[in-house]
Amino acid sequence: MAILNILQYPDPRLYTVAKPVDNVDAKVKKLIDDMAETMYDAPGIGLAATQVNVHQQIIVIDTSENKKDLQVFINPRINTKVGSQDYEEGCLSVPGVYETVTRADSIVVEALDRNGKPFKIEADGLLAVCIQHEMDHLLGKVFVQYLSPLKQNRIKTKMQKMQRGR
Ligand code: QAP
Ligand code: CO
């Protein structure tokens, strides 16, 4: 396994739209294992392939307390969205920034698992937020894009200073 490099906002590669996976082969499984290792190492609760510069529809999530409940979503689709909730989100591609975003409260998601088998789950609370946040990455969208242009510019400046090392 390997720890992958996570793209840092505002890297333009984060705006790439991911393509569906057409075959869950050994290469995809290795990527999933590396993404999971990268997420646990960070540590984070969710990571999209876009963030490691692979533009395929793959997400790994673990919102459990003991970090032993990895959830893999390949080619995820949201069928149903109900209600709304505000949650203070963060992102491994935007370290040190936490802002409140409004998203659906409860969702039904269909996807393929690590073995390419279709499944369907209903999610709410933090898991629902996390799935929607990671699915945005696959569409080339970062959570700061929900904020005002002023806030986005402040975050961009902060990130660029951090990346220069001052
Ligand atoms: C997305 O985010 C998420 O700023 C996953 O310095 C976040 O794992 C979904 C992290 C919140 C729902 C709610 C962020 C680690 C991790 C940081 C993450 C940081 C170190 C973020
Ligand atoms: Co993110």
Side-chain angles (χ1 to χ4, degrees):
M1 297 221 284
I3 309 277
L4 306 171
N5 179 54
I6 300 175
L7 298 178
Q8 301 293 296
Y9 178 83
D11 192 309
R13 292 172 289 182
L14 286 170
Y15 307 138
T16 313
V17 178
K19 293 188 171 67
V21 172
D22 47 37
N23 197 2
V24 184
D25 56 16
K27 207 177 153 190
V28 169
K29 286 181 184 170
K30 182 182 187 318
L31 173 64
I32 290 167
D33 294 344
D34 289 345
M35 284 174 62
E37 195 183 7
T38 304
M39 174 181 74
Y40 287 124
D41 176 72
I45 58 169
L47 186 70
T50 308
Q51 293 175 274
V52 296
N53 200 32
V54 177
H55 303 288
Q56 296 194 58
Q57 296 175 10
I58 303 169
I59 292 169
V60 295
I61 291 177
D62 191 341
T63 56
S64 69
E65 289 282 306
N66 58 5
K67 298 290 158 210
K68 283 179 181 166
D69 189 15
L70 181 70
Q71 288 178 281
V72 175
F73 299 82
I74 300 170
N75 301 344
R77 299 285 178 266
I78 296 180
N79 291 341
T80 315
K81 287 189 181 192
V82 183
S84 81
Q85 60 172 325
D86 291 348
Y87 202 99
E88 188 170 275
E89 299 186 11
C91 180
L92 288 171
S93 293
V94 200
V97 173
Y98 302 89
E99 294 283 350
T100 302
V101 175
T102 305
R103 299 192 188 268
D105 190 32
S106 167
I107 59 175
V108 177
V109 192
E110 278 189 70
L112 304 178
D113 67 15
R114 193 184 175 280
N115 296 309
K117 190 174 161 249
F119 69 98
K120 187 171 165 178
I121 57 156
E122 195 183 322
D124 55 23
L126 175 59
L127 179 59
V129 173
C130 201
I131 293 169
Q132 292 172 83
H133 174 116
E134 301 309 334
M135 284 183 70
D136 271 353
H137 279 299
L138 301 180
L139 294 169
K141 190 162 181 178
V142 181
F143 82 108
V144 300
Q145 292 175 267
Y146 290 103
L147 309 174
S148 71
L150 177 65
K151 274 194 171 175
Q152 289 184 47
N153 280 326
R154 285 179 177 158
I155 293 166
K156 264 182 203 162
T157 305
K158 180 181 170 180
M159 291 299 124
Q160 282 160 346
K161 277 184 186 161
M162 268 188 15
Q163 287 155 26
R164 265 187 257 123
R166 59 188 159 86

